[in-house]
Amino acid sequence: MTETQPPNPYPPRVVPQGGGVGMASLVIGLALVLLGIVQSILSMTVPLIASENGMSASQIGMMFGAMNLVTVVIAIGGVVTGLIGIQPAKTRGRLAAAAGLALSGAHVLSVVVVFTTSAVLSAL
């Protein structure tokens, strides 16, 4: 004698896949915020240490310029992953992608402003 079970009135829950690109964009954006904080701390401490060790102002500027180049490359990666993550076909991770895109885009903008200001001031 076999017992039959009543049919399940609720369909099985389907969990949407994806969202990894959006989450990657958010992680990159948050990492850029932390790198910005570290750069701010370094901008206050490095000149003091460098002057004690005989580094010139141009050497300090080149060091910060190199740090900005590295972070802008990371930020461009965050912008690209954010743009991929907010595509309409993606149902998951769009909010994370938008947040990562905003953080990364703001960082790219700030580096562009820093380099532009530097170029204008050196031309004077």
Side-chain angles (χ1 to χ4, degrees), residues 30-57:
L30 292 174
L32 288 168
V33 169
L34 292 176
L35 285 172
I37 292 169
V38 168
Q39 270 186 311
S40 294
I41 293 169
L42 287 175
S43 71
M44 292 181 279
T45 58
V46 165
L48 297 174
I49 296 168
S51 67
E52 292 174 2
N53 294 326
M55 287 179 71
S56 68

CSV table of all heavy atoms in Angstrom, one decimal, residues 30-57:
chain,number,residue,atom,x,y,z
A,30,LEU,N,34.4,50.4,-2.1
A,30,LEU,CA,34.8,50.5,-0.7
A,30,LEU,C,36.3,50.4,-0.5
A,30,LEU,O,36.8,51.2,0.4
A,30,LEU,CB,34.1,49.4,0.1
A,30,LEU,CG,32.5,49.5,0.1
A,30,LEU,CD1,31.9,48.3,0.8
A,30,LEU,CD2,32.1,50.8,0.9
A,31,ALA,N,37.0,49.6,-1.2
A,31,ALA,CA,38.4,49.6,-1.1
A,31,ALA,C,39.0,51.0,-1.5
A,31,ALA,O,40.0,51.4,-0.9
A,31,ALA,CB,39.0,48.5,-2.0
A,32,LEU,N,38.4,51.6,-2.5
A,32,LEU,CA,38.9,53.0,-2.9
A,32,LEU,C,38.7,54.0,-1.8
A,32,LEU,O,39.5,54.9,-1.6
A,32,LEU,CB,38.3,53.4,-4.2
A,32,LEU,CG,38.7,52.7,-5.4
A,32,LEU,CD1,37.8,53.0,-6.6
A,32,LEU,CD2,40.1,53.0,-5.7
A,33,VAL,N,37.6,53.8,-1.1
A,33,VAL,CA,37.3,54.7,0.1
A,33,VAL,C,38.4,54.5,1.1
A,33,VAL,O,39.0,55.5,1.7
A,33,VAL,CB,35.9,54.5,0.7
A,33,VAL,CG1,35.8,55.2,2.0
A,33,VAL,CG2,34.9,55.0,-0.3
A,34,LEU,N,38.7,53.3,1.4
A,34,LEU,CA,39.8,53.0,2.4
A,34,LEU,C,41.2,53.5,1.9
A,34,LEU,O,41.9,54.1,2.7
A,34,LEU,CB,39.8,51.5,2.7
A,34,LEU,CG,38.6,50.9,3.5
A,34,LEU,CD1,38.8,49.4,3.6
A,34,LEU,CD2,38.5,51.6,4.8
A,35,LEU,N,41.5,53.3,0.6
A,35,LEU,CA,42.7,53.8,0.1
A,35,LEU,C,42.8,55.3,0.2
A,35,LEU,O,43.8,55.9,0.4
A,35,LEU,CB,42.9,53.3,-1.4
A,35,LEU,CG,43.3,51.9,-1.5
A,35,LEU,CD1,43.2,51.5,-3.0
A,35,LEU,CD2,44.7,51.6,-1.0
A,36,GLY,N,41.7,56.0,0.0
A,36,GLY,CA,41.6,57.4,0.1
A,36,GLY,C,41.9,57.9,1.5
A,36,GLY,O,42.6,58.9,1.7
A,37,ILE,N,41.4,57.2,2.5
A,37,ILE,CA,41.7,57.5,3.9
A,37,ILE,C,43.2,57.3,4.2
A,37,ILE,O,43.8,58.1,4.8
A,37,ILE,CB,40.8,56.7,4.8
A,37,ILE,CG1,39.3,57.1,4.7
A,37,ILE,CG2,41.3,56.8,6.3
A,37,ILE,CD1,38.4,56.1,5.4
A,38,VAL,N,43.7,56.2,3.7
A,38,VAL,CA,45.2,55.9,3.9
A,38,VAL,C,46.0,57.0,3.2
A,38,VAL,O,47.0,57.5,3.8
A,38,VAL,CB,45.5,54.5,3.3
A,38,VAL,CG1,47.0,54.4,3.2
A,38,VAL,CG2,44.9,53.5,4.2
A,39,GLN,N,45.6,57.5,2.0
A,39,GLN,CA,46.3,58.5,1.3
A,39,GLN,C,46.3,59.8,2.1
A,39,GLN,O,47.2,60.6,2.1
A,39,GLN,CB,45.8,58.7,-0.1
A,39,GLN,CG,46.5,57.9,-1.1
A,39,GLN,CD,46.0,58.3,-2.5
A,39,GLN,OE1,44.8,58.3,-2.8
A,39,GLN,NE2,47.0,58.5,-3.4
A,40,SER,N,45.1,60.1,2.7
A,40,SER,CA,45.0,61.3,3.5
A,40,SER,C,45.9,61.3,4.7
A,40,SER,O,46.6,62.3,5.0
A,40,SER,CB,43.5,61.5,3.9
A,40,SER,OG,42.7,61.7,2.9
A,41,ILE,N,46.0,60.2,5.3
A,41,ILE,CA,46.9,60.0,6.5
A,41,ILE,C,48.3,60.2,6.0
A,41,ILE,O,49.1,60.8,6.7
A,41,ILE,CB,46.6,58.7,7.2
A,41,ILE,CG1,45.2,58.7,7.9
A,41,ILE,CG2,47.7,58.4,8.2
A,41,ILE,CD1,44.8,57.3,8.4
A,42,LEU,N,48.7,59.5,4.9
A,42,LEU,CA,50.0,59.6,4.4
A,42,LEU,C,50.4,61.0,4.0
A,42,LEU,O,51.5,61.4,4.1
A,42,LEU,CB,50.2,58.6,3.2
A,42,LEU,CG,50.3,57.2,3.5
A,42,LEU,CD1,50.4,56.3,2.3
A,42,LEU,CD2,51.5,56.8,4.4
A,43,SER,N,49.4,61.8,3.5
A,43,SER,CA,49.7,63.1,3.0
A,43,SER,C,50.1,64.0,4.2
A,43,SER,O,50.8,65.0,4.0
A,43,SER,CB,48.5,63.7,2.3
A,43,SER,OG,47.5,64.0,3.1
A,44,MET,N,49.7,63.6,5.4
A,44,MET,CA,50.1,64.4,6.6
A,44,MET,C,51.4,63.9,7.2
A,44,MET,O,52.2,64.7,7.7
A,44,MET,CB,49.0,64.3,7.6
A,44,MET,CG,47.7,65.1,7.2
A,44,MET,SD,46.5,65.0,8.5
A,44,MET,CE,45.8,63.4,8.2
A,45,THR,N,51.7,62.6,7.1
A,45,THR,CA,52.8,62.0,7.8
A,45,THR,C,54.1,61.9,6.9
A,45,THR,O,55.2,62.1,7.4
A,45,THR,CB,52.5,60.7,8.4
A,45,THR,OG1,52.1,59.8,7.3
A,45,THR,CG2,51.5,60.7,9.4
A,46,VAL,N,53.9,61.6,5.6
A,46,VAL,CA,55.1,61.4,4.7
A,46,VAL,C,55.9,62.7,4.6
A,46,VAL,O,57.2,62.5,4.6
A,46,VAL,CB,54.6,60.9,3.3
A,46,VAL,CG1,55.7,61.0,2.3
A,46,VAL,CG2,54.1,59.5,3.5
A,47,PRO,N,55.4,63.9,4.4
A,47,PRO,CA,56.3,65.0,4.3
A,47,PRO,C,57.2,65.2,5.5
A,47,PRO,O,58.3,65.6,5.4
A,47,PRO,CB,55.3,66.2,4.1
A,47,PRO,CG,54.1,65.6,3.5
A,47,PRO,CD,54.0,64.3,4.1
A,48,LEU,N,56.6,64.9,6.7
A,48,LEU,CA,57.5,65.0,7.9
A,48,LEU,C,58.6,64.0,7.9
A,48,LEU,O,59.8,64.4,8.2
A,48,LEU,CB,56.6,64.9,9.2
A,48,LEU,CG,55.5,65.9,9.4
A,48,LEU,CD1,54.6,65.5,10.5
A,48,LEU,CD2,56.1,67.3,9.6
A,49,ILE,N,58.3,62.8,7.6
A,49,ILE,CA,59.3,61.7,7.6
A,49,ILE,C,60.3,62.0,6.4
A,49,ILE,O,61.5,61.8,6.6
A,49,ILE,CB,58.6,60.4,7.4
A,49,ILE,CG1,57.7,60.1,8.7
A,49,ILE,CG2,59.6,59.3,7.2
A,49,ILE,CD1,56.8,58.9,8.5
A,50,ALA,N,59.7,62.4,5.3
A,50,ALA,CA,60.6,62.6,4.1
A,50,ALA,C,61.6,63.8,4.3
A,50,ALA,O,62.7,63.7,3.9
A,50,ALA,CB,59.8,62.9,2.9
A,51,SER,N,61.1,64.8,5.0
A,51,SER,CA,62.0,66.0,5.2
A,51,SER,C,63.2,65.6,6.2
A,51,SER,O,64.3,66.1,6.0
A,51,SER,CB,61.3,67.1,5.8
A,51,SER,OG,60.8,66.9,7.1
A,52,GLU,N,62.9,64.7,7.1
A,52,GLU,CA,64.0,64.2,8.0
A,52,GLU,C,65.0,63.3,7.3
A,52,GLU,O,66.1,63.2,7.7
A,52,GLU,CB,63.3,63.4,9.2
A,52,GLU,CG,62.6,64.3,10.1
A,52,GLU,CD,61.9,63.5,11.2
A,52,GLU,OE1,62.0,62.2,11.2
A,52,GLU,OE2,61.1,64.1,12.0
A,53,ASN,N,64.5,62.6,6.2
A,53,ASN,CA,65.4,61.7,5.4
A,53,ASN,C,65.9,62.4,4.2
A,53,ASN,O,66.6,61.7,3.4
A,53,ASN,CB,64.6,60.5,5.1
A,53,ASN,CG,64.2,59.7,6.3
A,53,ASN,OD1,65.0,59.6,7.2
A,53,ASN,ND2,63.1,59.0,6.2
A,54,GLY,N,65.7,63.7,4.0
A,54,GLY,CA,66.3,64.4,2.9
A,54,GLY,C,65.6,64.2,1.5
A,54,GLY,O,66.2,64.5,0.5
A,55,MET,N,64.4,63.8,1.5
A,55,MET,CA,63.6,63.8,0.2
A,55,MET,C,63.2,65.2,-0.2
A,55,MET,O,62.8,66.0,0.7
A,55,MET,CB,62.4,62.8,0.3
A,55,MET,CG,62.7,61.4,0.4
A,55,MET,SD,61.3,60.3,0.6
A,55,MET,CE,60.5,60.5,-1.0
A,56,SER,N,63.2,65.4,-1.5
A,56,SER,CA,62.8,66.7,-2.0
A,56,SER,C,61.2,66.7,-2.1
A,56,SER,O,60.6,65.7,-2.2
A,56,SER,CB,63.4,67.1,-3.3
A,56,SER,OG,63.0,66.2,-4.3
A,57,ALA,N,60.7,67.9,-2.3
A,57,ALA,CA,59.3,68.0,-2.5
A,57,ALA,C,58.8,67.4,-3.8
A,57,ALA,O,57.7,66.8,-3.9
A,57,ALA,CB,58.9,69.5,-2.5
